[in-house]
Amino acid sequence: MLNEDFFGRIAIVFVMTVMATASAIPLFLYFRQDTSAVSLAIVTQLASTVFLLLQLVMTIARLPPKGTAQGIEPRVTAVAGTFMILLALNLAPALQSEAAQVTALCLVFIGTASSIFCLYWLGRSFSLMATARRLVTTGPYSVVRHPLYICEAVFVLGMVLSHFSMLMVALSAFQFLLQYRRARNEEAILRQTFPEYGDYARRVPMLLPRFLGGAIPSPGGQ
């Protein structure tokens, strides 16, 4: 498990470094122009770069694993769920609508900024794969069990609006299904590794907060 975690960390660090660099280059070129105007697009690009850099840092500094989901399915699901939206963006052209793009940028910014907060709170427990490192139950994780996936869903909705097409809708729907399965895989290994997870899951809804109708499992439920 330690060898797998080590090589997985190397792979993720490489991918995140490439993505963070690609995200930072347009910012570097923009600010080299010595312009005082800062648009929503630039702020959103900056937030995306910070999110990628934070993932990179948390991957390097993450805690050793205490348990990891076995089999190929959790690994394929985690990778596909993470990068499916990138495939979708390359297959669907952006809409030529200023109103749609502004609304999409707002959703992307909200999703990215809130993801940064959740990832910061998750800290060294962050994993791309379904791995148990430390049980986090405070902050946003006291509202729902998977706040990071909810924030990422807002980001994806912004991307769907920006590149709206039936193909984009279909791929994003598939991505949501992958992320749901990924969350279930994570819960299984967390439940197996941390005896207190069952009580946490009975107290905190999975995805929707209680004020939005999120259901609390009955005693003994999964």
Side-chain angles (χ1 to χ4, degrees):
M1 183 169 63
L2 290 177
N3 284 338
E4 179 184 342
D5 187 67
F6 173 77
F7 288 114
R9 180 182 308 192
I10 295 299
I12 296 170
V13 166
F14 173 76
V15 172
M16 290 303 172
T17 299
V18 171
M19 293 178 65
T21 302
S23 181
I25 288 175
L27 290 173
F28 176 75
L29 296 176
Y30 176 82
F31 287 113
R32 277 196 64 184
Q33 298 174 3
D34 194 29
T35 177
S36 59
V38 179
S39 65
L40 176 60
I42 293 300
V43 173
T44 301
Q45 183 76 18
L46 179 60
S48 297
T49 304
V50 170
F51 181 57
L52 290 168
L53 288 172
L54 188 57
Q55 289 185 79
L56 176 61
V57 170
M58 294 306 178
T59 298
I60 294 172
R62 68 190 185 186
L63 296 169
K66 294 183 177 180
T68 301
Q70 300 301 307
I72 189 67
E73 182 272 320
R75 290 157 177 77
V76 172
T77 299
V79 173
T82 300
F83 298 108
M84 176 65 70
I85 190 63
L86 298 180
L87 171 63
L89 291 177
N90 285 310
L91 294 177
L95 291 181
Q96 301 301 311
S97 167
E98 183 176 353
Q101 293 302 327
V102 170
T103 304
L105 276 174
C106 289
L107 288 172
V108 169
F109 175 74
I110 292 171
T112 304
S114 54
S115 293
I116 291 172
F117 174 70
C118 292
L119 181 58
Y120 175 79
W121 200 277
L122 187 62
R124 297 176 66 198
S125 299
F126 169 72
S127 291
L128 182 65
M129 303 299 175
T131 303
R133 301 182 188 277
R134 178 183 59 190
L135 184 59
V136 178
T137 61
T138 58
Y141 289 85
S142 67
V143 180
V144 292
R145 303 200 297 273
H146 301 278
L148 186 54
Y149 291 165
I150 299 300
C151 298
E152 289 178 352
V154 176
F155 168 87
V156 171
L157 287 175
M159 291 292 95
V160 171
L161 180 58
S162 175
H163 296 69
F164 189 80
S165 68
M166 292 308 298
L167 176 61
M168 188 69 173
V169 171
L171 289 175
S172 62
F174 184 49
Q175 196 256 359
F176 288 147
L177 290 175
L178 288 170
Q179 292 292 70
Y180 179 78
R181 178 60 184 170
R182 183 180 177 189
R184 284 299 191 188
N185 289 334
E186 291 176 356
E187 295 206 341
I189 191 62
L190 288 170
R191 194 180 298 272
Q192 176 183 325
T193 307
F194 301 108
E196 63 271 31
Y197 189 83
D199 180 63
Y200 167 65
R202 284 188 289 271
R203 291 185 290 104
V204 179
M206 182 180 183
L207 295 171
L208 285 179
R210 275 173 279 186
F211 60 83
L212 292 179
I216 304 293
S218 59
Q222 297 299 312

